[in-house]
Amino acid sequence: MSAAESATAIQRNQVDLLDFIDWSGVECLNQSSSHSLSNALKQGYREDEGLNLESDADEQLLIYIPFTQVIKLHSVVLIGSEEEGPKTVKLFANREHMGFSNVSDFPPSDTAVLSSDNLKGKPVVLKYVKFQNVRSLTIFIEDNQSGSEITKVQKIALYGSTVETTDMKGLKKIEDH
Amino acid sequence: MVLEATMICIDNSEWMRNGDYAPSRFQAQADAVNLICGAKTQSNPENTVGVLTMAGKGVRVLVTPTSDLGKILACMHGLEIGGEMNLAAGIQVAQLALKHRQNKKQQQRIIVFAGSPVMHDKKALEMIGKKLKKNSVALDIVNFGEDDEGKTEKLEALLAAVNNNDTSHIVHVPAGPTALSDVLISTPIFTGDGEGGSGFAASAAAAAAGGVSGFEFGVDPNLDPELALALRVSMEEERARQEAAAKQAAEEASKEEKGGEEQDATMTERASEGASEADNKKIEIADDDDTSLQQALAMSMDEPTSSQDLQDTEMSDAAAEDPELALALQLSVQDSTKDSSSQADVSKLLADQSFVSSILASLPGVDPNDPSVKEVLASMQNQSEPQQKQDEDKAPKKEEEK
């Protein structure tokens, strides 16, 4: 897909799925406590170049993002530096509570190897058919560009559209009169 | 109140037969395990605890993480001692058991009782530690029993690899009269991270620790309430007496200030000296633990009563010498004179014609040369003259006192 095509695809009807993230369930394994996932995901923090998500014990990161409603995921933007930005990224749809030990137990819904263009902001278009009915997304960052001990991610943005789902929290009881 | 799933790894190897921890190492360990289970389940009812043994035929999970305390205590019965401890396998199995916990929201924690020598090398332990840290599992190590060369070092290295923001701890328990459980109660393993002790831990401490100072007066109110009460009452009486003495000293000091300036200087100096001496002594004693002891010592060392007597006699001498001073002292005692002296001030100012005229000049629309204004001023002056003579004595005194 050319750059122009993917850009228009985003413009067409894909929205930034930031508003549909269920923040109470967001988890990240192997993150450094001072450089946490919020630096890469949250509005404002992710735009700040000084604030990164950093890995801790080694270079892998496992990010779990549940959504408040069912979404279709179209593309992903991962911004990082040339050396320490992520390289191989595996995405799993609807797998709850994965650990590093079972990332290889089932095949990922999609795999992406990030180029330097991607790291600057070019969105990675995913296999749309695999992400039609996504309740939660797990992002497994396997390694980084230069093979260093620490992986740094500056921004993670998800683009897609929503499926009309009932938000259970919005349901209100009908009062009997 | 952290929601936590804990796996306790027990060492039931041959080394646990040793009796250097009363009654035997294994029994001390079992008591500690019971206490920990109780503390965890009490601090949060949704906490779960599981137990596994590391030695014997192999690593064996006795009970998977559960909040049922009875089940945990029951599984501790009939455990056999034998074999060698396999620390690495034990920790890995514990990690696996935690991974399959029912409530995924619980934080993961492993508590290891390392009583026998550690066979693995430092590198292997560090790898394990890193893996635990990556999966955000906290680790508490209880180092007791055998202390061969390198064991402590290895365990410290393991802790360093796991530790993330001080959630993991290591405790070294040497053999001695105090039981293993008692030593553990005061450690962060029991009290949790930054919580300062659950209610269970505090009550256990009160019941178990007899001679542990940390109670007021060094006596446990639970053990001997009458003695504790008697000590507290005598402490308060002492405090009240000290306050009364201090108040008296302050009164004397204020009376002395009304006297002549020389006496003023010496007396206030003495009073401040006495105060600073008391302060210094208090600072020296402040290093001691017992505040009651400190105050008692301060009281006995200071002799404010005797110094007050000295000051009293000096003051009476001074009063005899100077009749004006005596008058001043009398006046200072009476409240009413204070008011009249302030009134005298004001009237004196008004009587001062030059002062008044200067005020009038600054007022807009008033011409001091106006005859009507001059008349008023003259009448005011006549009124205030007799009053002025009376106040002459008082006024300079008042200025001196200031």
Side-chain angles (χ1 to χ4, degrees):
Chain A
M1 261 189 151
S2 67
E5 263 187 60
S6 49
T8 47
I10 292 206
Q11 284 159 16
R12 216 176 295 155
N13 54 356
Q14 309 300 336
V15 294
D16 188 337
L17 296 171
L18 186 64
D19 301 326
F20 303 104
I21 294 179
D22 178 11
W23 292 102
S24 63
V26 166
E27 279 169 21
C28 180
L29 287 183
N30 201 29
Q31 64 179 337
S32 151
S33 44
S34 49
H35 301 90
S36 65
L37 183 58
S38 320
N39 290 352
L41 263 188
K42 280 202 176 162
Q43 190 67 41
Y45 294 102
R46 62 185 191 175
E47 309 302 335
D48 188 342
E49 281 171 20
L51 291 175
N52 296 331
L53 162 67
E54 287 184 18
S55 66
D56 195 5
D58 62 11
E59 74 281 0
Q60 295 184 341
L61 281 163
L62 193 61
I63 303 164
Y64 173 70
I65 303 172
F67 298 100
T68 53
Q69 54 169 289
V70 176
I71 49 122
K72 298 181 206 250
L73 189 63
H74 178 268
S75 53
V76 166
V77 168
L78 285 157
I79 298 185
S81 69
E82 278 286 325
E83 297 92 36
E84 282 147 339
K87 189 163 94 179
T88 313
V89 177
K90 291 185 178 166
L91 293 147
F92 299 85
N94 297 329
R95 295 264 182 222
E96 313 280 297
H97 301 110
M98 289 181 69
F100 287 104
S101 47
N102 58 356
V103 281
S104 35
D105 288 353
F106 21 74
S109 307
D110 203 355
T111 310
V113 179
L114 300 181
S115 62
S116 53
D117 281 342
N118 294 124
L119 287 174
K120 290 200 176 72
K122 181 174 163 214
V124 179
V125 181
L126 306 168
K127 287 184 195 149
Y128 201 35
V129 289
K130 299 263 189 177
F131 294 99
Q132 287 296 302
N133 202 358
V134 178
R135 262 273 170 204
S136 73
L137 181 68
T138 304
I139 304 174
F140 173 49
I141 298 177
E142 202 167 356
D143 50 24
N144 53 41
Q145 297 285 330
S146 60
S148 73
E149 274 289 309
I150 300 179
T151 304
K152 294 185 187 172
V153 185
Q154 195 227 305
K155 176 176 172 180
I156 301 174
L158 307 167
Y159 292 96
S161 56
T162 59
V163 174
E164 293 304 316
T165 337
T166 327
D167 182 15
M168 296 306 288
K169 294 192 181 79
L171 275 180
K172 287 199 174 69
K173 187 176 167 189
I174 301 171
E175 295 294 322
D176 294 320
H177 291 291
Chain B
M1 292 293 280
V2 168
L3 184 57
E4 217 173 38
T6 312
M7 276 303 287
I8 304 182
C9 303
I10 296 182
D11 182 1
N12 60 334
S13 61
E14 280 290 340
W15 280 268
M16 293 300 110
R17 288 192 204 277
N18 198 329
D20 52 0
Y21 295 79
S24 77
R25 284 183 186 170
F26 184 73
Q27 200 50 50
Q29 207 187 168
D31 290 338
V33 170
N34 292 341
L35 266 175
I36 291 178
C37 293
K40 293 283 177 196
T41 42
Q42 234 207 19
S43 78
N44 188 329
E46 287 190 52
N47 279 352
T48 56
V49 181
V51 178
L52 62 78
T53 54
M54 292 191 283
K57 289 217 180 77
V59 176
R60 190 161 70 101
V61 176
L62 298 173
V63 59
T64 57
T66 170
S67 51
D68 184 357
L69 195 57
K71 217 177 179 183
I72 300 166
L73 297 179
C75 82
M76 296 290 294
H77 280 297
L79 276 180
E80 285 179 6
I81 298 179
E84 268 179 30
M85 171 181 83
N86 187 345
L87 185 62
I91 293 179
Q92 282 167 335
V93 172
Q95 194 183 347
L96 198 61
L98 285 172
K99 199 173 130 191
H100 294 288
R101 65 197 186 283
Q102 287 195 316
N103 184 356
K104 300 288 177 187
K105 290 209 189 288
Q106 288 167 328
Q107 300 280 326
Q108 303 173 67
R109 181 174 290 273
I110 300 176
I111 303 180
V112 172
F113 283 85
S116 44
V118 176
M119 292 302 137
H120 316 275
D121 59 338
K122 216 159 101 164
K123 267 280 162 218
L125 290 175
E126 277 176 2
M127 293 292 291
I128 294 173
K130 264 182 78 174
K131 220 174 128 209
L132 288 175
K133 185 166 159 188
K134 200 172 156 186
N135 288 291
S136 74
V137 178
L139 179 66
D140 289 334
I141 306 173
V142 180
N143 180 14
F144 72 111
E146 292 296 313
D147 187 21
D148 64 346
E149 70 287 346
K151 181 186 176 198
T152 311
E153 211 189 296
K154 286 178 188 173
L155 293 175
E156 293 275 3
L158 174 59
L159 184 84
V162 180
N163 202 355
N164 183 11
N165 263 359
D166 267 341
T167 49
S168 303
H169 318 95
I170 184 168
V171 180
H172 306 277
V173 186
T178 49
L180 184 62
S181 347
D182 294 339
V183 176
L184 285 180
I185 281 172
S186 54
T187 58
I189 292 179
F190 233 97
T191 57
D193 306 319
E195 281 172 27
S198 61
F200 183 90
S203 60
V212 177
S213 70
F215 298 112
E216 218 182 353
F217 315 122
V219 174
D220 183 359
N222 290 340
L223 285 182
D224 201 343
E226 288 156 358
L227 179 57
L229 184 64
L231 284 167
R232 199 181 306 134
V233 168
S234 71
M235 174 69 201
E236 283 179 19
E237 275 178 2
E238 190 70 18
R239 222 178 272 155
R241 192 166 75 80
Q242 206 185 4
E243 273 172 25
K247 221 179 271 177
Q248 209 181 7
E251 276 181 23
E252 299 293 328
S254 63
K255 273 192 195 162
E256 290 149 24
E257 278 174 26
K258 296 264 162 66
E261 278 176 32
E262 273 191 17
Q263 279 95 0
D264 256 355
T266 49
M267 277 175 209
T268 47
E269 260 179 35
R270 209 162 290 165
S272 62
E273 266 177 32
S276 63
E277 267 180 39
D279 281 337
N280 287 339
K281 280 168 201 158
K282 279 191 179 140
I283 289 165
E284 282 167 15
I285 303 162
D287 295 328
D288 290 354
D289 289 345
D290 207 339
T291 50
S292 61
L293 179 60
Q294 164 200 343
Q295 281 176 343
L297 280 172
M299 283 293 300
S300 62
M301 276 194 236
D302 282 335
E303 289 172 329
T305 48
S306 59
S307 61
Q308 273 171 26
D309 287 338
L310 280 174
Q311 286 156 356
D312 277 341
T313 53
E314 280 186 354
M315 215 169 67
S316 52
D317 287 341
E321 286 168 356
D322 198 356
E324 280 188 5
L325 178 56
L327 177 66
L329 285 173
Q330 278 175 16
L331 293 173
S332 68
V333 174
Q334 297 162 27
D335 284 337
S336 56
T337 49
K338 276 189 188 164
D339 294 336
S340 66
S341 57
S342 64
Q343 278 174 18
D345 266 339
V346 177
S347 52
K348 188 186 169 228
L349 282 173
L350 283 176
D352 192 348
Q353 199 174 13
S354 56
F355 181 71
V356 176
S357 57
S358 66
I359 289 181
L360 288 175
S362 62
L363 288 172
V366 174
D367 188 7
N369 292 325
D370 197 358
S372 54
V373 175
K374 273 188 177 172
E375 264 185 33
V376 173
L377 283 175
S379 63
M380 272 180 57
Q381 205 177 11
N382 290 338
Q383 275 181 5
S384 62
E385 252 181 320
Q387 220 184 358
Q388 210 179 0
K389 283 210 175 125
Q390 273 183 21
D391 293 345
E392 228 178 300
D393 274 326
K394 289 184 195 169
K397 271 288 162 297
K398 181 80 179 164
E399 278 174 331
E400 239 190 64
E401 285 162 28
K402 281 184 194 166

